[in-house]
DNA sequence: TCTGGGGTCCTAGGACCC
DNA sequence: TCTGGGGTCCTAGGACCC
């Protein structure tokens, strides 16, 4: 029988930090979001204490102190590097796989018997852990959605779970829809209001009713849960459709100059990535956000422009981004977040001339190549363009970051013998 | 006092056309 | 005096994921 599986790293960010701090194995560890705002990864010990995912750090301050929880700021360069090591090994074991996120991949596999498959997966788990040192779980079932659920079971039962169709069918009356991949809080409520609580309920519901109440998303979910794959495992990574950069401010910001500095920073980030991918973009939008917990909740927003001719020119885009800020910015509103979003990409080599091209649009500043050179040599964003204020008043804190063990020479781990 | 960031896909509703 | 309706396209925002 053919199966679809998912492999993922256990407590990935925490496991990455522990890789270089073996003394922390068995101790309670959390990794914080940027701005050190909330918990984004928890070790098993912390999960067992009942600390939920995403909890604001200030709410568990006492617990951190009392129970000796060790905290780290997010360190994405490290996690990305470890991630690529994991997938390099995975590739040798599972040729047909689709990398889905920084810490997980789908794959296909076939086997004659359940016992044989379990033994194969177990051997893979051991091999990955031996080569990279990050603990992983593997689970397989008939579809991606079923496999994601099987993976939850794997985490509680030694890291490997195989669900054949009979296993799955027996489980469906006991699985609440809220535990299913693709069902968040809002959808769970809507299903509940329609009298659908478990996976078995959804499978038994007439397709026409699902279609009229929940649209194409509901129909696909039903099929996946019934064992008919709607989402194939695709080895080729679909080209990225958008690039975003955004960050919360440490404090509320009301000066437009500071907002513009932040927007200029994010624009430099997305354009650097765009140029690295050798792409050009048509759509540029900026967004300004307010606190999610105040009187100005609905005062943020976004605004975009579409260019007839795709571009990767920082000077041109910066001018447009600032014009968007001028239109969106409201002096009465305290902003807490800003970001830049680009989409509508085409390859850099293709010169797509529009019939209606405004000649202003195709100008290209030599500053771009200059910046690329500086960035390559001295690291991203050493040289800035479009900055109004001296300090980065908007920047967030990241006070407990681990050393760059794998991406900076000076932070290499030292082996003591 | 203090609540992440980067993605994807889908849909509701406005603008526009005839 | 009487004042349509259906289709398409686009965009902002919603919902979800990790």
């Amino acid at each position: 029988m053919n199966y679809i599986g998912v492999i993922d790293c256990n407590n990935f960010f925490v496991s990455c930090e522990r890789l270089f701090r073996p003394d922390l194995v068995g101790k309670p560890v959390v990794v914080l979001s940027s701005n050190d705002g909330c918990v984004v990864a928890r070790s098993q010990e912390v999960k067992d204490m009942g600390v939920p995912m995403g909890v604001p750090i200030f709410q568990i301050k006492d617990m951190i102190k009392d129970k000796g929880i060790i905290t780290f700021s997010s360190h994405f360069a490290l996690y990305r590097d470890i991630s690529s090591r994991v997938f390099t090994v995975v590739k040798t074991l599972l040729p047909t796989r689709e990398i889905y996120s920084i810490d997980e991949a789908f794959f296909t596999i076939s086997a004659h018997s359940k016992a044989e498959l379990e033994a194969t997966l177990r051997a893979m788990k051991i091999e990955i852990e031996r080569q990279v040192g990050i603990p992983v779980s593997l689970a397989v079932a008939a579809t991606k959605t079923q496999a994601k659920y099987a993976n939850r079971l794997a985490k509680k039962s030694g890291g490997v779970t195989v669900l054949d169709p009979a296993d799955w069918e027996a489980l469906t009356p006991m699985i609440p829809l809220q535990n299913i991949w693709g069902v968040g809080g809002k959808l769970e409520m809507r299903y509940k209001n329609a009298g659908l609580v478990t996976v078995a309920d959804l499978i038994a519901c007439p397709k026409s009713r699902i279609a009229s109440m929940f649209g194409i998303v509901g129909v696909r979910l039903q099929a996946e849960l019934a064992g008919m794959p709607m989402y194939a495992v695709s080895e080729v990574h679909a080209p990225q459709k958008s690039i975003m950069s955004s960050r919360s401010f440490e404090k509320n910001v009301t000066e437009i100059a500071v907002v513009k500095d932040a927007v200029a920073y994010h624009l430099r980030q997305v354009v650097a990535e765009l140029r690295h991918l050798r792409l050009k973009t048509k759509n540029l939008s900026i967004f300004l956000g307010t606190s999610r917990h105040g009187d100005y909740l609905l005062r943020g927003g976004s605004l975009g422009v579409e260019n007839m001719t795709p571009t990767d020119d920082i000077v041109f885009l910066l001018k447009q981004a600032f014009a968007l800020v001028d239109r969106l910015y409201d002096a009465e509103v305290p902003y807490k977040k800003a970001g830049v979003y680009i989409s509508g990409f085409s390859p850099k080599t293709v010169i797509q001339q529009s019939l209606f091209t405004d000649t202003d649009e195709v100008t290209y500043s030599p500053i771009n190549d200059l910046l690329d050179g500086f960035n390559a040599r001295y690291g991203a964003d050493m040289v800035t363009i479009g900055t109004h204020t001296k300090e980065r008043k908007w920047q967030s804190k990241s006070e407990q970051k681990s050393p760059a063990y794998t991406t900076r020479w000076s932070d290499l781990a030292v082996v003591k013998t």
Side-chain angles (χ1 to χ4, degrees):
Chain A
M1 170 172 172
N2 295 316
Y3 292 87
I4 289 179
V6 58
I7 171 170
D8 82 340
C9 305
N10 302 344
N11 320 322
F12 182 56
F13 296 171
V14 167
S15 298
C16 289
E17 298 292 348
R18 279 177 170 167
L19 203 51
F20 299 90
R21 291 284 308 276
D23 57 302
L24 298 182
V25 173
K27 299 208 175 114
V29 178
V30 294
V31 174
L32 309 178
S33 64
S34 81
N35 218 9
D36 293 344
C38 53
V39 171
V40 294
R42 304 156 295 159
S43 71
Q44 190 58 49
E45 297 76 18
V46 175
K47 288 177 187 171
D48 293 343
M49 290 173 191
V51 173
M53 178 69 168
V55 69
I57 198 74
F58 70 88
Q59 283 180 12
I60 58 163
K61 230 166 46 189
D62 294 343
M63 203 175 198
I64 289 174
K65 212 169 151 198
D66 297 345
K67 310 250 178 166
I69 298 176
I70 296 122
T71 59
F72 287 94
S73 301
S74 287
H75 191 161
F76 276 95
L78 174 70
Y79 310 149
R80 270 193 296 269
D81 186 56
I82 305 299
S83 169
S84 76
R85 293 180 191 201
V86 172
F87 291 130
T88 301
V89 178
V90 167
K91 188 177 178 178
T92 66
L93 302 170
L94 292 159
T96 307
R97 80 263 170 267
E98 171 190 341
I99 295 175
Y100 175 67
S101 74
I102 193 165
D103 74 335
E104 72 188 290
F106 290 105
F107 60 88
T108 57
I109 195 166
S110 55
H112 298 298
S113 75
K114 199 176 154 179
E116 175 203 324
L117 185 52
E118 276 170 352
T120 306
L121 297 178
R122 170 101 24 219
M124 289 178 180
K125 172 177 162 64
I126 291 167
E127 184 59 16
I128 293 162
E129 292 173 0
R130 188 185 68 79
Q131 288 198 41
V132 192
I134 296 285
V136 296
S137 302
L138 292 103
V140 301
T143 63
K144 282 184 174 177
T145 307
Q146 288 187 11
K148 286 288 286 182
Y149 184 77
N151 201 44
R152 290 170 70 105
L153 302 182
K155 299 256 191 249
K156 292 177 196 149
S157 61
V160 170
T161 294
V162 173
L163 291 183
D164 64 23
D167 300 330
W168 171 257
E169 202 184 330
L171 285 172
T172 56
M174 277 108 71
I175 306 173
L177 283 170
Q178 69 192 73
N179 292 350
I180 292 300
W181 184 53
V183 181
K186 293 281 157 63
L187 271 176
E188 182 207 350
M189 280 308 295
R190 285 177 56 204
Y191 282 122
K192 200 169 273 178
N193 291 338
L196 308 173
V197 177
T198 68
V199 169
D201 294 339
L202 184 60
I203 292 173
C205 186
K207 185 177 165 184
S208 56
R209 181 158 177 255
I210 297 293
S212 68
M213 293 187 74
F214 301 99
I216 187 73
V217 178
V219 171
R220 285 181 194 152
L221 182 67
Q222 187 186 40
E224 282 264 317
L225 291 173
M228 291 169 280
M230 292 288 113
Y231 309 109
V233 175
S234 114
E235 289 168 76
V236 283
H237 195 59
Q240 194 172 348
K241 292 178 177 166
S242 63
I243 299 171
M244 175 162 80
S245 176
S246 72
R247 202 123 312 163
S248 298
F249 305 138
E250 191 175 0
K251 299 190 179 108
N252 281 329
V253 166
T254 49
E255 299 161 72
I256 192 167
V258 178
V259 171
K260 282 186 174 174
D261 279 1
V263 165
Y265 168 82
H266 294 302
L267 189 77
R268 290 193 299 272
Q269 298 294 308
V270 298
V271 170
E273 178 67 11
L274 183 75
R275 293 172 65 83
H276 175 71
L277 296 172
R278 303 194 61 78
L279 297 170
K280 294 190 175 197
T281 187
K282 276 181 101 161
N283 303 99
L284 164 70
S285 44
I286 62 144
F287 54 92
L288 302 179
T290 53
S291 169
R292 302 207 303 265
H293 311 272
D295 299 338
Y296 294 91
L297 179 62
L298 300 173
R299 299 299 299 277
S302 72
L303 214 51
V305 283
E306 178 175 358
N307 291 308
M308 293 295 217
T309 309
T311 179
D312 63 349
D313 184 342
I314 184 94
V315 178
F316 175 74
L317 288 167
L318 197 54
K319 215 180 289 176
Q320 285 192 320
F322 283 166
L324 291 171
V325 174
D326 284 330
R327 283 168 56 200
L328 189 60
Y329 170 82
D330 180 340
E332 289 175 4
V333 176
Y335 293 106
K336 192 71 173 79
K337 182 176 184 171
V340 170
Y341 180 88
I342 56 177
S343 63
F345 300 150
S346 52
K348 192 169 188 165
T349 45
V350 177
I351 297 165
Q352 206 151 45
Q353 280 287 8
S354 162
L355 266 180
F356 310 103
T357 297
D358 178 340
T359 47
D360 283 352
E361 283 186 14
V362 291
T363 58
Y364 182 79
S365 166
I367 288 174
N368 289 288
D369 301 313
L370 211 56
L371 282 177
D372 284 349
F374 277 120
N375 288 339
R377 184 150 177 200
Y378 301 109
D381 218 45
M382 284 297 282
V383 180
T384 60
I385 176 171
T387 301
H388 293 73
T389 61
K390 253 188 170 169
E391 318 119 72
R392 293 191 171 176
K393 288 188 187 174
W394 52 275
Q395 265 198 336
S396 62
K397 55 182 179 194
S398 180
E399 290 171 346
Q400 300 155 77
K401 201 160 162 181
S402 53
Y405 299 111
T406 65
T407 52
R408 196 186 301 147
W409 286 109
S410 59
D411 289 352
L412 272 182
V414 177
V415 178
K416 293 186 179 134
T417 53

